[in-house]
Amino acid sequence: MGRLMRVELRRYLARQAVRWLVVGMVAAVLLTGFAAWRASRPPSEAQLAEAQQQVTLAQADWAQHGAEYMTQCRAQQEQARQTDPSADFQCDRGAPTVESFLPPRQTFAANAYDSLGQVATFVLLLSLIVGATFVAAELSTGAMSTWLTFEPRRGRVFASKAAVASVVTGTAALAVSVLAVGVLWVATAVNHATGQVEAQTLVDLGNGSARIAVAAAGAALLGAGLGFLLRHTAAVIASVIAWFIAIDGILVSGLLQAPRWAAATNLQAWLRAGTTYYQQGPCVTDPLGGLACNPVQKTLPMAAGGLTLVAALAVVAALAWVVFRRRDVA
Amino acid sequence: MADLAVSTRGLRKTYRTRGRRIVAVESLDLDVPAGGVHAFLGPNGSGKTTTIRMLLGLVHADRGEMAVFGTPVPGRLPAVVGRIGAIVEAPKFFWHFSGRRNLELLAQAIGVDRHQVGVVLGDVGLADRADSEVRTYSLGMRQRLAIAATLLKDPDLLIFDEPTNGLDPAGIREVRSTMRGLADRGKTVLVSSHILAEVQQIADTLSIVARGRLVASGPVDELLSAGGAAPVRVGVADRDAASHLLRGQGWTVSDEGSDLVVTGATSLDVNRVLALAGMYAHELRTERADLEQVFLDLTQTDPTAPTGRRAR
Ligand SMILES: Nc1ncnc2c1ncn2[C@@H]1O[C@H](COP(=O)(O)OP(=O)(O)OP(=O)(O)O)[C@@H](O)[C@H]1O
Ligand SMILES: [Mg+2]
């Protein structure tokens, strides 16, 4: 098995698609870094001047009507709390400052986690594609049948391919995520906008990167499994897109009203360490005789999302294995 | 069974395509003796590739048994796969690497000593071009490199599916002599082809399939004589009289332009009969008994007829 893994590893790294994967991932990271750099830039002279002008007016207004505004605000907040006890109108903000008239500025501390989430989408898509080509290209070019004449034990061939695809892709994704964190740091540090970085921020980013890596390994395995089943990379990509639109979006979340079981929800729960979704709640007849159905917010913990995905992946892998074992390899 | 490199019994394979069932191989009993070149012949679509793929475990048989060197396959294929080298696809090489480098990579992959690479390159006569890039090779050289690749594990049985496809006459000759050379060194070569002439000169034994069934098998020379007496071409002045006379002997005579073609008799018989009647042939020639003719006759026989011919 060790020898087979080495063979597959060499083949995997020799694949053109894998190089493009790396290029694509790095490009995604750099783009995200660029976006972070732009969003964390200090305001320009013109922006500052304009904000200064506006804040002067606003402060004058505040000096005159500030107390009045605060009472008004509190009254509105009180009213809102009758239906939503957690309503907070932030009535004690005090006098307007120049910051409120400047475009919002991103910092590493506040935004790196979200930016990493954007990188993740791209990384997962590429992982899926590269896992799929690794298997499908060999099946459709006949390289697989040549290889099977050297190693006819299909179980080993299947396992070594799946293992290499997921482990290598997962490792690459981890490296890319760590790189992304580094790039985000540099991009914001250039603008002196790292913000208040606490130990917890870094722990969150580290955990987030690890979860992206695991998800990427899963995506590559899914791609490989579907590659065994469908034999063409394009078919794999098309079926995954079709799944997200038709099954996930229309059927599961729409018609069946079960967003808990949509792949997107579970993926989100895994990547973001838990997520919330809305489910149609009990319907009540309102005083006017109409039917009001209020959506209920629910949370899906990270572990539940992860386990659901693992179970789904296991089903695909098992199916792929059975089909590969039985099918004629042309 | 031990002296057989390959044997199959009652082998059957059907493909389902768009609801239709295609019988690719039907009740095939194939015996390939160990040692020598065995030609596996049949017209296009007669099931040769399917049979080879079943032997290699790439395609699953519907029914029947197969054995390679007495080991049942595909059940125990892993135990004998080390003794089999096969080309099942147009070989793929790294274009910008030398032939040697390509084989070294493969050797590494299958756990064969790198020293073996030089040996197999010599075996196929590529030693002097081994260090050129593969993209500079002729088609025939690439095919020989593919053969060299199958030799890396030093197999006892080599299976080549139409190895001369797409080659020019020089390339065909190269590959042919390579195969013959391997057989002369004690290996068994199973080579499929739909063109008899391509393998006739180098084959020791052959099997002929048509529409998935075996129609003939055995040593090449036996099959040649099984093809029946060769026709005799006769040139005489009075063709009508001669034709009448020869038919009277119970032979088949056909008029082909200026000549008569007689089947069922030797040239000696024909000459004697004509001479006794005072007719003299200005031409008398035995048409060469060509395996090609045997092949064509056999593969055109109705394969559903139960009497498959076996010259053995
Ligand atoms: N994957 C497949 N799916 C469906 N039918 C197939 C498949 N492979 C082969 N066949 C059919 O099975 C029959 C035998 O094909 P096979 O390729 O074994 O013949 P062959 O003797 O190798 O022919 P050729 O000389 O053209 O290579 C043909 O009718 C072919 O159309
Ligand atoms: Mg064929």
Side-chain angles (χ1 to χ4, degrees):
Chain A
M1 204 58 201
R3 181 175 59 81
L4 278 189
M5 297 273 286
R6 277 200 301 280
V7 172
E8 294 297 352
L9 182 63
R10 205 173 293 126
R11 275 194 213 179
Y12 193 71
L13 298 180
R15 284 209 76 79
Q16 205 80 29
V18 175
R19 308 217 179 115
W20 285 114
L21 162 90
V22 174
V23 171
M25 284 184 177
V26 170
V29 167
L30 293 180
L31 271 176
T32 313
F34 178 68
W37 172 77
R38 275 183 62 110
S40 63
R41 265 183 314 182
S44 66
E45 292 291 327
Q47 281 171 324
L48 265 178
E50 198 187 316
Q52 202 59 56
Q53 211 172 24
Q54 279 171 346
V55 83
T56 319
L57 290 176
Q59 273 167 349
D61 183 51
W62 180 264
Q64 230 174 359
H65 306 288
E68 195 181 320
Y69 290 153
M70 268 163 77
T71 355
Q72 240 175 43
C73 179
R74 291 219 176 85
Q76 281 168 359
Q77 177 173 292
E78 212 44 55
Q79 199 170 18
R81 282 191 179 165
Q82 282 171 0
T83 47
D84 179 7
S86 63
D88 181 5
F89 284 16
Q90 301 192 348
C91 299
D92 301 320
R93 268 173 309 185
T97 57
V98 81
E99 278 74 33
S100 16
F101 292 92
L102 285 170
R105 233 181 122 182
Q106 285 195 4
T107 63
F108 180 84
N111 301 95
Y113 193 70
D114 288 334
S115 301
L116 191 61
Q118 286 157 19
V119 175
T121 313
F122 201 72
V123 165
L124 292 190
L125 186 65
L126 284 176
S127 302
L128 175 89
I129 294 172
V130 84
T133 61
F134 183 46
V135 170
E138 293 205 0
L139 278 171
S140 54
T141 58
M144 182 71 83
S145 50
T146 303
W147 180 231
L148 286 174
T149 65
F150 287 99
E151 180 46 86
R153 283 166 291 202
R154 293 196 186 183
R156 294 178 171 218
V157 171
F158 181 88
S160 58
K161 272 207 180 317
V164 165
S166 56
V167 171
V168 176
T169 312
T171 311
L174 182 63
V176 165
S177 303
V178 171
L179 176 71
V181 172
V183 166
L184 288 170
W185 173 270
V186 172
T188 47
V190 167
N191 293 327
H192 304 290
T194 46
Q196 198 70 48
V197 181
E198 282 155 23
Q200 192 56 42
T201 313
L202 295 177
V203 169
D204 286 347
L205 287 171
N207 287 342
S209 299
R211 286 196 306 271
I212 291 175
V214 172
L221 186 59
L222 176 69
L226 292 176
F228 275 114
L229 287 172
L230 304 173
R231 288 187 278 192
H232 295 281
T233 311
V236 173
I237 297 170
S239 68
V240 169
I241 292 175
W243 176 282
F244 272 101
I245 294 175
I247 309 283
D248 235 39
I250 299 178
L251 184 68
V252 179
S253 305
L255 295 176
L256 297 178
Q257 289 293 323
R260 157 71 184 90
W261 300 108
T265 314
N266 289 280
L267 191 57
Q268 194 69 11
W270 172 252
L271 289 175
R272 311 286 301 185
T275 191
T276 55
Y277 60 93
Y278 289 90
Q279 182 138 31
Q280 202 171 53
C283 296
V284 287
T285 321
D286 66 22
L288 295 173
L291 202 61
C293 303
N294 294 316
V296 185
Q297 188 182 12
K298 300 220 168 187
T299 56
L300 182 61
M302 175 179 80
L307 284 177
T308 308
L309 294 176
V310 165
L313 197 53
V315 170
V316 173
L319 199 63
W321 160 229
V322 168
V323 167
F324 179 58
R325 215 169 92 104
R326 300 222 174 145
R327 189 153 54 191
D328 295 342
V329 178
Chain B
M1 287 281 272
D3 57 337
L4 289 177
V6 172
S7 82
T8 73
R9 287 293 173 271
L11 197 59
R12 176 182 160 92
K13 173 69 185 180
T14 55
Y15 289 109
R16 250 183 313 242
T17 34
R18 297 200 187 84
R20 263 185 352 116
R21 249 180 195 287
I22 298 171
V23 181
V25 172
E26 177 68 289
S27 320
L28 184 69
D29 296 349
L30 183 71
D31 284 329
V32 177
V37 175
H38 186 90
F40 187 32
L41 289 166
N44 288 132
S46 53
K48 306 181 296 290
T49 300
T50 302
T51 305
I52 287 175
R53 287 179 171 272
M54 283 193 282
L55 278 170
L56 295 169
L58 298 174
V59 164
H60 301 283
D62 296 352
R63 202 187 300 149
E65 275 122 51
M66 298 176 276
V68 174
F69 294 118
T71 305
V73 294
R76 295 184 48 212
L77 185 58
V80 279
V81 77
R83 296 180 69 188
I84 310 173
I87 304 180
V88 290
E89 276 287 332
K92 281 162 209 73
F93 293 109
F94 293 107
W95 225 230
H96 289 280
F97 290 172
S98 68
R100 188 190 304 282
R101 179 96 184 96
N102 267 291
L103 291 194
E104 278 171 359
L105 287 174
L106 185 60
Q108 226 173 350
I110 60 175
V112 163
D113 194 87
R114 150 193 295 243
H115 154 83
Q116 184 73 4
V117 169
V119 176
V120 299
L121 283 167
D123 284 349
V124 298
L126 272 182
D128 50 337
R129 286 295 304 279
D131 295 305
S132 322
E133 287 181 16
V134 167
R135 67 188 173 88
T136 66
Y137 285 14
S138 70
L139 215 54
M141 289 169 70
R142 284 207 290 277
Q143 198 63 22
R144 281 189 287 154
L145 186 63
I147 295 177
T150 66
L151 293 174
L152 278 174
K153 342 180 237 188
D154 194 24
D156 300 314
L157 169 65
L158 291 146
I159 301 180
F160 301 136
D161 191 11
E162 313 237 6
T164 50
N165 255 4
L167 299 188
D168 61 10
I172 292 174
R173 215 174 311 120
E174 285 173 16
V175 170
R176 222 159 33 191
S177 66
T178 303
M179 289 193 289
R180 186 65 249 172
L182 292 170
D184 292 342
R185 284 180 20 225
K187 303 198 181 293
T188 308
V189 178
L190 172 60
V191 53
S192 82
S193 179
H194 62 277
I195 303 168
L196 176 78
E198 247 174 50
V199 288
Q200 183 174 350
Q201 297 118 321
I202 59 156
D204 301 301
T205 52
L206 56 78
S207 296
I208 300 177
V209 284
R211 285 182 253 179
R213 289 170 179 268
L214 187 75
V215 291
S217 80
V220 173
D221 33 7
E222 264 181 45
L223 273 164
L224 266 175
S225 52
V232 179
R233 185 170 287 270
V234 193
V236 287
D238 189 351
R239 274 185 294 151
D240 286 344
S243 170
H244 186 75
L245 179 69
L246 295 170
R247 280 208 179 92
Q249 303 289 315
W251 302 329
T252 317
V253 181
S254 59
D255 201 334
E256 288 188 7
S258 55
D259 296 334
L260 296 175
V261 174
V262 186
T263 42
T266 65
S267 59
L268 215 65
D269 293 336
V270 173
N271 203 11
R272 184 171 43 81
V273 168
L274 288 176
L276 285 177
M279 284 187 260
Y280 294 93
H282 56 76
E283 193 194 347
L284 194 66
R285 182 158 49 86
T286 308
E287 305 273 70
R288 213 171 76 76
D290 202 341
L291 250 186
E292 195 73 48
Q293 197 56 47
V294 181
F295 176 62
L296 285 177
D297 288 349
L298 286 172
T299 54
Q300 275 157 13
T301 51
D302 182 6
T304 53
T307 50
R309 264 165 90 177
R310 296 204 67 181
R312 190 188 265 239

